Amino acid sequence: MINYLQNMPVIIRTSFMLILSNMFMTFAWYGHLKNLSDKKWYIAAILSWGIALFEYLLQVPANRIGYTELTLSQLKILQEVITLSVFIPFAMVYMKQPFKLDYVWAALCLVGAVYFMFRS
């Protein structure tokens, strides 16, 4: 599996790792709102830190790999696109939030940001 990942293009490998890391971080930041709302805030914080550790174990190497071919700005925009792509399904499926047209407008704004950061 590791050899397979190492043979992937940098942008694919980076994106894959950032998607996984963002899934952990989204749960760390927002999962406690559903699962631990009856607990003290510091219990939620400690559990969130534990989840966030896995995010960092993926995010730090992903950014180091990505930075070999991408600029810092490109890495940031890639992260923002991934964040929105992970957050919307999380909000709708896990947190039972309704779909909002604002998600579409935010995605369109990010398409523009991607264009400007990745153009030659």
Side-chain angles (χ1 to χ4, degrees):
M1 177 71 171
I2 295 196
N3 282 339
Y4 180 72
L5 287 174
Q6 290 175 338
N7 293 330
M8 288 180 156
V10 167
I11 188 132
I12 301 297
R13 194 169 7 146
T14 300
S15 298
F16 177 71
M17 292 175 74
L18 288 176
I19 289 167
L20 291 176
S21 76
N22 206 280
M23 292 170 77
F24 281 109
M25 202 58 182
T26 300
F27 272 94
W29 284 353
Y30 304 108
H32 63 87
L33 298 174
K34 179 177 182 180
N35 298 324
L36 302 172
S37 60
D38 60 334
K39 304 286 185 215
K40 301 280 186 185
W41 72 266
Y42 52 86
I43 300 295
I46 291 168
L47 290 172
S48 292
W49 286 341
I51 295 168
L53 171 65
F54 295 101
E55 187 267 347
Y56 281 103
L57 292 174
L58 290 163
Q59 178 266 339
V60 170
N63 281 328
R64 292 172 70 101
I65 292 166
Y67 195 59
T68 63
E69 292 185 12
L70 301 171
T71 67
L72 185 62
S73 300
Q74 289 171 334
L75 277 171
K76 182 58 181 168
I77 290 303
L78 179 61
Q79 177 63 45
E80 295 305 326
V81 168
I82 289 169
T83 297
L84 188 63
S85 300
V86 168
F87 178 76
I88 292 171
F90 172 84
M92 293 175 60
V93 174
Y94 188 76
M95 297 295 287
K96 307 289 189 227
Q97 298 291 307
F99 176 79
K100 295 181 176 183
L101 208 49
D102 291 342
Y103 296 150
V104 174
W105 307 135
L108 288 173
C109 288
L110 284 176
V111 167
V114 167
Y115 169 75
F116 286 112
M117 287 302 181
F118 281 86
R119 69 183 173 153
S120 310

